[in-house]
Amino acid sequence: MYRSKPHTTLRSHRSAWAGWAALLLFATPSFAPAAPANVVAPAIQAKEAPADTIDVPDGDSVVAVSDIVVTATRTEQRLLDLPVRVTVLDRADIDLSASRTVDEYLRRVVGFNLSRQASSVVSHPGAQALNMRGLGASSASRTLVLVNGLPLNDPFGGWIHWSSIPLENVQRIEVVKGGSSGIWGNRALGGVINIITQKPTRTGMRVSAQGGSYATFRGFGAGAYKSDRVGVLAGGEIFDTDGYPVVPAEQRGLIDGNATSKHVTLGGRLEYAASESLDLYFRGSYFDNDQNLGTPQRQNGMEIGSLRAGADLSTSSGSWQFGLFGRDQTYFNRIGSASPDRSTETPTLDQFHVPSTSIGTNLQWSRTSFGSHQLAGGLDFQWIEGETNEHYVFVDGDFTRLREAGGQQQLGGAYFQDLFPLGPKWRMQASGRLNLWRSYGGTRLETQIQTEEIRLDETYPRRTEWRFNYTLGTRYLANDRLSLRASFYTGFRAPTLNELYKPFRASGGIVTEPNPGLDPEDLIGTDVGADYQISRVLTARVTAFWNLLENAIAEATIGLADSVPATIEPCGRVPANGVCRQLDNLGTLRSVGFETELEYSPHAFWLIGASYLFNPTEVLEAPGRPEVVGSSVPRSPENQFVVRASYANPAIIEGSIVGRYVGTRFEDDLNELEQGGFFTLDLQLSRLFLEHLEAFLSVENLLDVDYEVAVATNGLIRHGTPRLINIGLRVRL
């Protein structure tokens, strides 16, 4: 009889972490008291703008923006000076959110979508990839996600482990949509999200605990010490939930239960001001996550450890930033095939050991030269190694085959940027980046477990690709109420090791094969927009965009099985009513649209906002697959809007309500599996008691809307988050 190995393998790997987990506790995220909404987050130290930059009107003008951001250009810039729209979400707004995780919170940004419209709490890691600007997403994200400027994207698969960053530890989030931040290189096609964690700005502590629906508990604690030269932080989060059913009641069988999840996150940070011109830092983190996605055989777990160190140096020749980071992780995943009546489940895949390692470094120089030119340049490099070890072909109670596949990648780049004014009203940006992608050491070995007979032994050739990307942008200050902006850009994304070498099986009989011959994706696009202050209390923003994605990597449908299992190459055996797909460079995708935002603040305590996104997508070219030409990009809704209202009066009560609509979208490349649109409401209320104690109530999906997040070819549906009620306490000292 087959005995599962995942937990044994992963737990043994966990014991290797135990020896240095205590060290990590004193080496990552960061802590600081919540900053007022109008104060720049301490994670970004604002510098005086050069005296001859673009003129800034006084008063409450929409274009008189003083926030300093770093995500759009990799250097500190005022929002006013940027040719792109940057959304900034601060700690005060986070405290008014009903969300439990970073991805749930970011849904208030219109156009923010995961591959599935489901919370990361009950989603497979492959469904947690980002899909912004209608560019689609398979398991890999076409949006770069950073934590304090360093990549959070999984180095092996490209997805995002959102739960590894406690929402309580986030000080600020900067969101740049579109490829205008291509200076970051790989993945920044749909945009860049930079999650900036809290820093030890003073000695103190912060503790919170909450519990609620489906036996859910979340606890967070962090303590900090701050002196003239030294800042230390240590903290962590524990999360556990019994979960909820993800299969609708009318389709459930004996095997269907709740999708459960639990995780532990530990981290810390050490900062040392060696001199007035030199700052050093050291960070580390540890993340341990286990999920059951609703049936006995659908289980996965992840363990990640990371270390980061760096230095910031100011000299007469400019400012220098150096960083070095490493990440080591392991992962297991089990998949089963359900009987037609869902009364039994047969194991189909056991990825019992999927380790990966990445090491990277970056060096950046910046200074103001030639009077008013803000120059920046740098180098970055990342090495990645990963593999999958899995059992498959389940016969007579045991797996009969072993597959080992994997390889290595190198990603690097050199970039240069110039931001400068042209007179008192114009601000220009020009940047270029040379990218390197190298893939090598790729192998795939398949053997018969009992006899050790080799069924497949392939070695893939070394590949090297170079790409040059650029951004040109401008902002024009028409008057003290109106600001215009435009940018033109290119970008690229390299296929991940997961897409190149690792097969995948999903519920509903979905079999997806990798493709070692995948080419990088290339993007060309443009944004134009305006920011207009209609009155002192009403602000409007509009952005139009156009993007072409060449060599788009997508899941191409190869064939469908009938009511009995079938052999379909290259997938092999496909379950009854299942589908065989393979990742391929589909062709050319077009994503166009516009986004509008309104903000109304009739009183210091009130803020009301609404945003709408219209984003039609289309497959323009698909050599060899004419049946998909004209189709919409899978999982990309054409219409979305977000409405929100908040009231923040600490003397009485603070609260917010957020409504989100996601329109219809298609599950597959053939546009045959449609998911309906839905609208949800989230509510948060909080009240400050005494001086340091806050009580809060949050309700996700207040109306208990039943909505689809996945539809399989065999008709199986998966549903999103039901109504969740949580109450909690937060203490700041």
Side-chain angles (χ1 to χ4, degrees):
M1 191 71 177
Y2 168 70
R3 297 185 182 275
S4 172
K5 297 182 178 62
H7 288 282
T8 301
T9 305
L10 187 55
R11 297 301 171 186
S12 63
H13 192 80
R14 286 175 179 156
S15 65
W17 289 108
W20 59 289
L23 172 64
L24 291 174
L25 183 62
F26 292 96
T28 58
S30 21
F31 171 84
N38 60 347
V39 175
V40 176
I44 306 174
Q45 298 299 322
K47 297 179 179 178
E48 279 191 31
D52 50 0
T53 56
I54 192 168
D55 291 345
V56 181
D58 295 327
D60 297 325
S61 168
V62 67
V63 292
V65 182
S66 60
D67 283 43
I68 303 297
V69 296
V70 297
T71 306
T73 62
R74 299 185 76 148
T75 58
E76 296 171 347
Q77 299 293 328
R78 296 178 305 170
L79 283 173
L80 170 65
D81 294 335
L82 298 173
V84 297
R85 169 75 176 124
V86 181
T87 301
V88 180
L89 306 165
D90 60 21
R91 183 68 234 174
D93 187 68
I94 294 172
D95 284 340
L96 290 175
S97 166
S99 305
R100 299 169 298 172
T101 60
V102 173
D103 62 294
E104 291 178 353
Y105 171 69
L106 283 171
R107 292 176 186 173
R108 66 186 52 217
V109 178
V110 71
F112 176 91
N113 298 291
L114 300 189
S115 179
R116 307 286 184 190
Q117 298 288 339
S119 168
S120 61
V121 173
V122 294
S123 295
H124 186 278
Q128 297 179 31
L130 258 173
N131 175 11
M132 292 211 303
R133 285 282 171 92
L135 296 178
S138 51
S139 59
S141 176
R142 293 191 176 103
T143 298
L144 178 64
V145 180
L146 308 167
V147 177
N148 300 319
L150 293 176
L152 180 63
N153 298 69
D154 187 285
F156 185 82
W159 48 70
I160 316 297
H161 300 287
W162 298 100
S163 297
S164 66
I165 307 298
L167 187 59
E168 289 280 352
N169 191 47
V170 176
Q171 179 66 29
R172 177 183 175 101
I173 302 177
E174 298 175 4
V175 181
V176 183
K177 298 176 187 176
S180 56
S181 292
I183 193 171
W184 290 96
N186 185 43
R187 299 194 193 285
L189 302 178
V192 178
I193 295 177
N194 194 8
I195 303 167
I196 300 163
T197 59
Q198 297 176 346
K199 296 182 69 175
T201 59
R202 67 175 180 90
T203 299
M205 64 177 295
R206 181 176 182 176
V207 178
S208 69
Q210 63 175 278
S213 304
Y214 302 101
T216 298
F217 172 79
R218 183 176 68 153
F220 172 83
Y225 167 78
K226 179 64 176 177
S227 67
D228 290 342
R229 290 201 167 193
V230 176
V232 181
L233 176 140
E237 178 181 77
I238 298 174
F239 180 89
D240 195 349
T241 180
D242 286 351
Y244 47 83
V246 292
V247 175
E250 63 272 16
Q251 291 188 334
R252 287 179 213 153
L254 295 176
I255 65 171
D256 292 302
N258 290 359
T260 66
S261 179
K262 60 182 178 180
H263 70 254
V264 174
T265 301
L266 300 174
R269 180 177 188 140
L270 171 64
E271 298 179 345
Y272 176 63
S275 67
E276 291 185 359
S277 60
L278 177 62
D279 293 325
L280 306 175
Y281 68 86
F282 178 76
R283 307 170 193 155
S285 64
Y286 172 78
F287 175 64
D288 185 358
N289 174 234
D290 283 288
Q291 291 181 314
N292 179 291
L293 300 183
T295 65
Q297 294 299 324
R298 298 198 74 223
Q299 299 183 24
N300 68 81
M302 172 68 68
E303 187 180 13
I304 305 172
S306 67
L307 293 172
R308 305 177 182 190
D312 297 332
L313 175 65
S314 297
T315 69
S316 58
S317 63
S319 297
W320 295 84
Q321 295 177 324
F322 171 75
L324 180 67
F325 61 93
R327 171 171 168 156
D328 190 29
Q329 65 184 48
T330 188
Y331 165 70
F332 80 83
N333 179 56
R334 292 192 294 176
I335 296 292
S337 177
S339 60
D341 61 358
R342 301 191 65 79
S343 62
T344 60
E345 186 180 30
T346 303
T348 57
L349 183 69
D350 178 13
Q351 295 171 336
F352 59 89
H353 187 44
V354 186
S356 62
T357 302
S358 66
I359 298 173
T361 185
N362 65 278
L363 175 66
Q364 179 172 295
W365 164 87
S366 61
R367 69 169 295 172
T368 300
S369 300
F370 309 112
S372 57
H373 288 255
Q374 296 182 48
L375 305 177
L379 303 168
D380 53 44
F381 178 82
Q382 187 177 16
W383 169 82
I384 302 168
E385 180 181 48
E387 65 180 65
T388 179
N389 300 276
E390 57 191 37
H391 292 143
Y392 66 111
V393 184
F394 194 80
V395 178
D396 296 330
D398 211 345
F399 283 108
T400 61
R401 293 189 186 178
L402 169 67
R403 179 186 291 121
E404 302 164 275
Q408 299 180 55
Q409 286 188 338
Q410 293 176 355
L411 293 161
Y415 58 89
F416 185 79
Q417 177 178 259
D418 186 9
L419 292 99
F420 56 95
L422 286 178
K425 292 184 176 293
W426 290 92
R427 183 74 175 174
M428 310 297 295
Q429 175 194 3
S431 64
R433 178 183 170 97
L434 181 63
N435 299 284
L436 164 69
W437 171 62
R438 179 173 290 133
S439 177
Y440 60 100
T443 62
R444 181 166 173 172
L445 177 65
E446 298 178 359
T447 58
Q448 202 75 18
I449 293 176
Q450 297 297 328
T451 64
E452 298 186 354
E453 174 190 357
I454 296 177
R455 304 297 298 265
L456 179 68
D457 188 358
E458 293 184 343
T459 300
Y460 305 111
R462 183 187 189 98
R463 300 177 61 194
T464 300
E465 298 274 355
W466 295 88
R467 291 289 192 279
F468 179 76
N469 300 130
Y470 59 88
T471 298
L472 299 172
T474 184
R475 180 180 280 266
Y476 174 66
L477 183 63
N479 53 52
D480 63 354
R481 290 183 177 274
L482 177 63
S483 177
L484 307 176
R485 46 188 160 78
S487 61
F488 182 80
Y489 46 81
T490 62
F492 102 110
R493 183 184 76 87
T496 64
L497 292 173
N498 181 69
E499 292 172 315
L500 292 168
Y501 307 123
K502 178 175 166 288
F504 184 73
R505 306 295 186 266
S507 62
I510 300 172
V511 182
T512 304
E513 280 291 300
N515 187 343
L518 291 172
D519 292 321
E521 301 174 330
D522 294 292
L523 178 84
I524 183 171
T526 184
D527 287 18
V528 294
D531 303 324
Y532 180 53
Q533 182 148 358
I534 301 171
S535 70
R536 293 178 62 87
V537 297
L538 182 62
T539 300
R541 299 181 180 90
V542 61
T543 303
F545 57 89
W546 173 91
N547 291 290
L548 281 183
L549 183 63
E550 304 277 356
N551 293 322
I553 297 173
E555 299 173 1
T557 299
I558 305 299
L560 304 174
D562 294 326
S563 56
V564 295
T567 299
I568 305 174
E569 296 301 331
C571 298
R573 186 179 183 276
V574 177
N577 299 311
V579 57
C580 169
R581 295 172 180 159
Q582 184 177 32
L583 292 167
D584 198 4
N585 291 110
L586 178 65
T588 303
L589 309 181
R590 181 182 64 195
S591 174
V592 298
F594 67 86
E595 177 180 318
T596 60
E597 301 173 76
L598 285 174
E599 286 187 358
Y600 177 58
S601 183
H603 189 275
F605 297 148
W606 282 98
L607 178 63
I608 301 171
S611 52
Y612 168 70
L613 174 68
F614 176 65
N615 185 196
T617 61
E618 184 180 359
V619 178
L620 295 183
E621 297 178 0
R625 302 197 67 231
E627 67 275 11
V628 302
V629 175
S631 298
S632 297
V633 175
R635 303 166 197 159
S636 296
E638 186 171 292
N639 293 278
Q640 290 183 264
F641 69 78
V642 174
V643 292
R644 65 192 187 281
S646 63
Y647 177 81
N649 183 354
I652 301 177
I653 197 170
E654 296 183 313
S656 72
I657 187 165
V658 178
R660 180 175 184 253
Y661 172 77
V662 176
T664 57
R665 60 236 176 261
F666 294 99
E667 175 75 26
D668 63 322
D669 56 329
L670 300 177
N671 285 186
E672 294 177 347
L673 303 174
E674 183 176 335
Q675 299 175 34
F678 63 90
F679 177 78
T680 60
L681 280 175
D682 295 341
L683 173 69
Q684 165 85 355
L685 297 172
S686 63
R687 178 71 164 84
L688 188 64
F689 296 92
L690 304 176
E691 184 180 356
H692 303 288
L693 177 64
E694 180 184 16
F696 57 90
L697 165 70
S698 64
V699 185
E700 293 184 67
N701 194 2
L702 179 66
L703 304 179
D704 201 21
V705 174
D706 197 12
Y707 60 94
E708 301 170 346
V709 299
V711 180
T713 53
N714 64 0
L716 181 67
I717 296 172
R718 293 180 70 83
H719 280 185
T721 306
R723 182 190 295 120
L724 300 178
I725 302 174
N726 288 280
I727 58 174
L729 296 173
R730 185 179 291 121
V731 179
R732 298 185 181 96
L733 298 174

